[in-house]
Amino acid sequence: MIRNILLATAALAIVTTVPAGSAPRRPAPTAPATLPASSPFAQPSTLPWQTPDFARIKDTDYLPAIMAGMAEHKREVTAIANQSATPTFDNTLGALEKSGLLLERVLLAFNAVNGANTNDTLQDVDTKTSPLLAAHNDFIYLNAKLFGRVRYLREHQAELNLNPEQAKLLDVYYKQFQHAGAELPAAKQTQLKAINQQLSTLQTNFGQRLLEAAKAGALHVTDASALAGLSEQQIAAAAEAAKGRKLPGYVLPLQNTTQQPSLESLSSHATRQQLFEASIHRADRGGANDTRNIIRQIARLRAQKAALFGNANWADYTLYDQMAQNRATALGFLTRLAPAVSAKQHQEAEDIRALARSQGATFEVTPADWNFYAEQIRQQRYAIDSDKLKEYFEFNRVLEDGVFYAATQLYGITFRERKDIPTWSPDMRVFDVIDADGKEIALFMIDPWKRDNKNGGAWMSNLVNQSYLRGTKPVIYNVENFTKPAPGQPALISWDDVTTMFHEFGHALHGIFAAQTYPTLSGTSVARDFVEFPSQFNENWALDPKILPHYAVHYRTGQRIPQDMVDKLLRARTFNQGYEVGEVLEAARLDLDWHSLPASAPLQDVDKFEANALANSGFDTADVPPRYRSTYFLHIWSNGYSAGYYAYPWTRMLGQDAFAWFQQHGGLTRANGQRYRDMILSRGNTQDYAEMYRAFAGRDPDIQPYLDYYGLSGATAAPQPPATPAPTERGK
Ligand SMILES: [Zn+2]
């Protein structure tokens, strides 16, 4: 996941953020419109790279700085909008790109700590400021004078001699204004403002409730025998987690996905079922942590908002600037994959049930049991023991000799650890990123371990955005949610965790190589269905024969990972993909269905809606539930991925096709890496995505490497429906 698209720049960023909090009628917190010089946000940080000084920043510094930042930005935008000079690129868009620096400074720091290290004070700031930020966004994008200047530039574009990056920036601003309602009649603008504020509040409430729900939903057991099957280390971690909560016994905290990591090891069906039920019902049990009433309101408000713009549904409204461009193309992509994937899902489910029967299972096999048996099938057929495998993946070694090493081989960059940069958690490590010519190009931080005050999942974001215009270099962080080793234990992580590290670092590279003048177009500020392309592409190097043996070294003996284990890992790659690919595609389908509702649709019954959506998806959802159920689908209800979750498989398709290009051109070489760095990673949002890809690969992306990668090609049960254009045909 990535979070900096939500806050790319002060101007455009806030548009998509719409996080937010309390009732809109609540009186606005009062704060002076200017910030006292003593505030750590009053000036750009004097630390290297302008990194926020987390040693100096107190929780109470955020609210006044956000308030003052909005006031300052308002003054700047008003001055730009009201000037009498004829609009020029520089006095309008150039000036906007230089505005809002204080607000951006504080919001980037605030989002980092509120996401990765939150507390009541920070959540209260979020609650108070989110509706105000939504309104602030409206202030900019519903400013008729400002839009008049942008429209003037658009109409006189032929005379302006803009370079390609400037032309792109104008296009982005113009459409953003349109999309924000600048061309709507006044009455509709009033409705829009009300909807935006309600959405903003609901979306923040959803995120906060879900965090509580996950915390409260953790499985607590007092009897160690219920945990039979877990390794000593896992049990020690569970005891540690209980201690952290001042509880006796053991706690298995919930990850934000449907499936939970312990389910593959727990030998008791009853415990598995308990943990699984705790996961899927974390937010639908009634009471304070139930998210259903929030969801149905968000879905309806989004449909109503789309209708104000003349769009049939939220998906069509929101996909305009994506690579897919509309609901039909995104839905078509999922629909085309359903026959092959569901065939594989049925096949895998039969294997699971057969194995359970052969072991005398008298219970009805449920999705709670899937990973337990799948793990055994994996071991039978591929003989990979996940716990043994973990012994080759020590976190620091994976980071330095795997993730960093691959980047050095491909892109020529190296990493130098530094200890003088304050962070928000002692768990973190910080590195200068140095280019092949010795120049320092970025700062990178990583926050690896799960904490109760950290949002679920893993993500990348910026603390400082890259911009030649502002003279700033990127400061980037990765947040993971790996299980923290018990004191004295080695930091062994799973193969999934290894893949996640490569994934998040793929985002980091997209930010590290950013080379834009204008921050709005910089680095990872690209479409959702493009932004996960570099990250998913980067996952491929984890298994590369030149990379894997370099980092996969036994934590105790120092022995390299044995070749037969590597071979098995490679063979095992297509195993269980009906489940793993399927759960993602199903979640994507659920997302698109929620966002296909017309404005006239009544408030939905969440349980019924979800059951219908899944039943009609074409996937085997009885055996394979979606990766996220509606009630805990953070991506789509509060993290900016609404109608956009399809972007994960879509960008996987791009990532596998690009990797196939590498394989066809000699694999891991500096030359190939440089080409990809120059033509994709350093381009930001300065070029049409399809054209950018075509320039890199010399052709359009093809879906076949995606199917091959997951071993889905052979499972195709029905002929491909001709319905929607394949991605390869797009743009023609
Ligand atoms: Zn990602």
Side-chain angles (χ1 to χ4, degrees):
M1 175 153 45
I2 184 160
R3 289 207 174 151
N4 76 332
I5 51 165
L6 305 182
L7 262 175
T9 72
L12 286 183
I14 301 155
V15 167
T16 36
T17 311
V18 192
S22 68
R25 295 273 161 77
R26 177 184 289 204
T30 50
T34 53
L35 204 55
S38 60
S39 165
F41 294 107
Q43 297 296 325
S45 163
T46 54
L47 290 180
W49 310 86
Q50 300 189 13
T51 308
D53 189 349
F54 289 109
R56 238 187 101 201
I57 299 168
K58 299 185 296 296
D59 289 345
T60 50
D61 288 325
Y62 291 109
L63 183 61
I66 293 172
M67 298 305 294
M70 282 191 284
E72 180 187 284
H73 196 208
K74 238 176 216 183
R75 286 193 298 272
E76 291 166 340
V77 170
T78 303
I80 295 165
N82 292 354
Q83 63 189 313
S84 54
T86 305
T88 65
F89 183 89
D90 284 338
N91 74 17
T92 304
L93 297 188
L96 281 174
E97 291 287 290
K98 283 191 252 184
S99 73
L101 296 185
L102 168 59
L103 185 59
E104 181 172 317
R105 199 150 65 222
V106 59
L107 284 180
L108 289 177
F110 175 72
N111 279 8
V113 293
N114 192 40
N117 207 38
T118 194
N119 59 42
D120 289 348
T121 306
L122 296 176
Q123 292 206 4
D124 193 44
V125 173
D126 195 6
T127 301
K128 282 177 176 149
T129 57
S130 293
L132 301 174
L133 286 166
H136 182 70
N137 183 67
D138 286 346
F139 168 80
I140 298 169
Y141 283 95
L142 297 179
N143 184 318
K145 281 185 180 166
L146 191 58
F147 180 56
R149 295 183 74 83
V150 173
R151 190 162 49 195
Y152 178 93
L153 293 175
R154 177 86 164 187
E155 284 160 0
H156 294 78
Q157 189 165 352
E159 305 142 42
L160 296 176
N161 276 327
L162 302 180
N163 67 35
E165 188 177 339
Q166 291 172 327
K168 180 70 184 186
L169 188 70
L170 175 54
D171 186 58
V172 166
Y173 266 101
Y174 181 75
K175 287 184 177 153
Q176 191 96 15
F177 268 102
Q178 255 189 335
H179 202 66
E183 287 185 329
L184 291 181
K188 283 190 174 180
Q189 284 192 352
T190 306
Q191 287 176 292
L192 178 65
K193 281 183 189 175
I195 291 176
N196 282 347
Q197 294 220 351
Q198 290 176 66
L199 276 174
S200 151
T201 298
L202 288 165
Q203 288 166 188
T204 295
N205 286 352
F206 178 86
Q208 293 179 349
R209 256 183 215 210
L210 187 56
L211 192 61
E212 286 306 314
K215 235 191 265 183
L219 184 65
H220 176 220
V221 296
T222 46
D223 184 355
S225 67
L227 302 183
L230 295 188
S231 70
E232 274 176 37
Q233 283 171 18
Q234 287 170 317
I235 291 174
E240 200 57 30
K243 214 179 282 171
R245 293 167 189 232
K246 299 188 166 56
L247 287 171
Y250 310 88
V251 162
L252 297 176
L254 290 183
Q255 283 203 354
N256 65 337
T257 48
T258 293
Q259 287 289 350
Q260 299 296 311
S262 312
L263 288 170
E264 70 176 30
S265 317
L266 288 164
S267 52
S268 154
H269 166 73
T271 309
R272 291 198 297 267
Q273 201 61 38
Q274 277 174 27
L275 179 57
F276 190 78
E277 297 281 326
S279 174
I280 65 171
H281 293 301
R282 70 185 75 181
D284 66 5
R285 292 188 190 277
N289 297 335
D290 194 317
T291 57
R292 285 175 297 185
N293 195 38
I294 295 180
I295 289 170
R296 60 203 207 120
Q297 292 183 68
I298 293 176
R300 188 163 71 169
L301 284 165
R302 284 178 179 164
Q304 288 171 348
K305 179 169 167 178
L308 289 178
F309 291 85
N311 291 117
N313 52 66
W314 177 260
D316 276 341
Y317 165 77
T318 200
L319 294 179
Y320 79 100
D321 59 350
Q322 302 295 301
M323 197 165 175
Q325 295 188 342
N326 55 54
R327 170 186 174 274
T329 308
L331 192 60
F333 171 69
L334 300 175
T335 310
R336 285 176 70 235
L337 294 166
V341 173
S342 65
K344 192 99 192 287
Q345 290 175 321
H346 284 298
Q347 212 176 69
E348 290 172 0
E350 279 317 307
D351 287 354
I352 299 279
R353 280 191 278 267
L355 178 62
R357 275 195 303 270
S358 77
Q359 296 180 355
T362 50
F363 50 84
E364 193 192 334
V365 175
T366 76
D369 303 309
W370 186 291
N371 287 358
F372 178 70
Y373 292 107
E375 178 59 19
Q376 293 181 54
I377 296 175
R378 194 195 308 272
Q379 286 182 36
Q380 279 174 15
R381 295 193 191 159
Y382 307 98
I384 293 184
D385 178 330
S386 304
D387 287 332
K388 284 228 161 57
L389 195 58
K390 272 184 185 177
E391 297 180 350
Y392 292 92
F393 302 133
E394 193 278 319
F395 167 76
N396 297 293
R397 182 100 205 207
V398 175
L399 179 68
E400 292 172 63
D401 296 338
V403 173
F404 287 175
Y405 177 75
T408 304
Q409 302 303 303
L410 286 161
Y411 313 116
I413 52 174
T414 50
F415 302 83
R416 187 174 55 214
E417 184 155 22
R418 55 191 304 168
K419 307 273 190 184
D420 59 333
I421 305 281
T423 57
W424 58 81
S425 162
D427 290 344
M428 295 172 71
R429 297 185 67 187
V430 183
F431 300 85
D432 283 326
V433 184
I434 300 151
D435 211 346
D437 62 5
K439 287 201 183 93
E440 296 169 341
I441 52 173
L443 191 74
F444 173 73
M445 306 181 178
I446 185 162
D447 181 5
W449 311 123
K450 189 201 305 287
R451 292 186 294 270
D452 272 350
N453 64 353
K454 190 190 268 192
N455 280 332
W459 65 94
M460 165 274 188
S461 191
N462 281 52
L463 284 168
V464 178
N465 289 321
Q466 181 277 339
S467 162
Y468 295 138
L469 184 74
R470 298 178 183 172
T472 48
K473 291 181 180 179
V475 176
I476 288 164
Y477 59 94
N478 280 172
V479 178
E480 330 276 3
N481 259 290
F482 305 153
T483 303
K484 190 172 186 169
Q489 298 291 332
L492 302 183
I493 59 175
S494 70
W495 174 243
D496 259 9
D497 296 342
V498 171
T499 307
T500 299
M501 283 177 75
F502 276 87
H503 176 102
E504 296 307 330
F505 198 72
H507 287 307
L509 289 165
H510 204 183
I512 286 168
F513 294 132
Q516 277 64 56
T517 300
Y518 303 104
T520 290
L521 305 178
S522 177
T524 53
S525 304
V526 297
R528 285 183 307 254
D529 66 0
F530 197 78
V531 76
E532 297 293 334
F533 160 34
S535 51
Q536 305 209 48
F537 167 79
N538 202 55
E539 290 177 25
N540 285 288
W541 301 114
L543 264 177
D544 189 89
K546 290 184 189 162
I547 303 296
L548 179 71
H550 197 258
Y551 71 86
V553 171
H554 196 277
Y555 78 98
R556 217 173 25 200
T557 66
Q559 295 286 313
R560 292 203 185 289
I561 190 167
Q563 188 56 42
D564 68 315
M565 210 177 232
V566 177
D567 292 342
K568 282 169 193 159
L569 208 48
L570 280 164
R571 279 204 306 274
R573 198 164 56 177
T574 59
F575 172 71
N576 205 38
Q577 292 307 315
Y579 195 104
E580 290 171 34
V581 172
E583 66 166 357
V584 168
L585 294 171
E586 290 168 14
R589 181 61 199 263
L590 195 52
D591 167 30
L592 272 181
D593 278 9
W594 272 114
H595 296 111
S596 299
L597 287 168
S600 57
L603 275 178
Q604 299 297 306
D605 176 319
V606 172
D607 300 340
K608 269 191 200 151
F609 182 90
E610 180 174 295
N612 278 334
L614 295 177
N616 295 327
S617 68
F619 298 100
D620 176 10
T621 56
D623 291 315
V624 180
R627 185 169 170 82
Y628 305 96
R629 294 190 65 205
S630 307
T631 45
Y632 49 91
F633 207 160
L634 187 69
H635 289 74
I636 68 166
W637 302 122
S638 95
N639 276 354
Y641 269 72
S642 60
Y645 194 71
Y646 78 89
Y648 282 94
W650 177 281
T651 46
R652 168 68 73 186
M653 179 273 294
L654 293 175
Q656 291 319 121
D657 188 67
F659 191 67
W661 182 92
F662 269 73
Q663 302 305 83
Q664 288 151 14
H665 292 81
L668 183 144
T669 67
R670 268 290 280 125
N672 285 345
Q674 194 65 38
R675 179 183 177 89
Y676 179 70
R677 172 177 167 174
D678 290 343
M679 304 184 84
I680 303 282
L681 291 178
S682 64
R683 291 292 166 114
N685 180 19
T686 58
Q687 213 179 342
D688 174 85
Y689 302 113
E691 279 172 24
M692 194 192 296
Y693 192 87
R694 216 173 291 133
F696 159 70
R699 55 173 172 71
D700 287 319
D702 178 12
I703 199 158
Q704 195 57 41
Y706 173 88
L707 291 171
D708 292 344
Y709 178 76
Y710 291 120
L712 295 166
S713 309
T716 308
Q720 297 269 321
T724 42
T728 52
E729 297 154 33
R730 200 183 32 256
K732 281 188 180 167

